[in-house]
Amino acid sequence: MAASVYTTIPISSTEMISRSFHNLSVFLSVRRRPWSEFVATDVFDKPESFDTALVRIKKNSEYFRLNYGLLVLACALASLITQPVSLVLVAGVIGLWLLLYVFREDPVFMFGDQPINDRLVLMGLVIISLLTIVFTGVFQTLMFGLGIGIIISAIHGAFRNPDGLFLNEDEAASTGFIGRGGPKFPSPSS
């Protein structure tokens, strides 16, 4: 696999972080559903069967994907509330991932003009993440928090009736509800 090649002019780390924050805020404002819609009490009811609950979980998770992700993240971080140093370190590592990998659109430069390969950035973030989890000893606590967040999300998804949720055309195509390129008709030869 070929390494990433950048043809942009080196920018300052402050500018890179500023752009990453901008990308993060745009992503959150566009992809997150309103919390009032997420917790609206008039749309909750008991599913008729286990299969109905699974279908509801699937539909709700496609529609409220970012809301569920934020809920699970909040539960994981809340599990660290009794360990403030670990909480700050884990939140910092999550911030590094968001700024240096997920929402970064410009290359990372070392020593002013040397671009760092994306694989090296990824390896560095993985190593920092593992070292943080190992040295703070919060693996079990984080897994407990993640588990609680996933359970809460599954319960919400099973009991929230997804009737009336509408995906826009791009979201429906990306989740497989509709295909791209219009309807598919059988060929005349078949």
Side-chain angles (χ1 to χ4, degrees), residues 13-52:
S13 58
T14 307
E15 180 68 22
M16 183 193 69
I17 290 171
S18 172
R19 287 184 186 182
S20 294
F21 271 120
H22 174 74
N23 291 343
L24 173 62
S25 74
V26 168
F27 176 79
L28 290 175
S29 66
V30 170
R31 301 291 296 204
R32 183 185 54 82
R33 305 295 180 182
W35 289 106
S36 58
E37 184 180 2
F38 184 76
V39 296
T41 57
D42 58 337
V43 293
F44 286 92
D45 61 16
K46 184 179 177 187
E48 298 164 3
S49 67
F50 183 72
D51 290 335
T52 304

Side-chain angles (χ1 to χ4, degrees), residues 33 38 43-44 53-68 153-163 165:
R33 305 295 180 182
F38 184 76
V43 293
F44 286 92
L54 291 177
V55 168
R56 285 182 174 192
I57 290 171
K58 184 178 187 285
K59 285 182 181 178
N60 282 320
S61 67
E62 288 167 353
Y63 188 77
F64 291 113
R65 179 177 303 146
L66 186 58
N67 296 71
Y68 286 137
S153 297
I155 291 170
H156 178 274
F159 283 92
R160 189 190 193 289
N161 192 335
D163 293 344
L165 297 181

Side-chain angles (χ1 to χ4, degrees), residues 99-115:
L99 293 175
L100 294 177
Y101 197 76
V102 178
F103 294 108
R104 177 179 55 91
E105 58 186 37
D106 300 306
V108 176
F109 287 92
M110 181 183 264
F111 306 119
D113 61 348
Q114 282 298 101

Side-chain angles (χ1 to χ4, degrees), residues 124-161:
L125 288 170
V126 167
I127 290 169
I128 289 170
S129 300
L130 291 174
L131 289 174
T132 301
I133 290 172
V134 168
F135 287 123
T136 58
V138 295
F139 181 76
Q140 289 179 328
T141 307
L142 274 176
M143 290 301 111
F144 176 76
L146 289 172
I148 294 296
I150 290 169
I151 289 169
I152 292 171
S153 297
I155 291 170
H156 178 274
F159 283 92
R160 189 190 193 289
N161 192 335

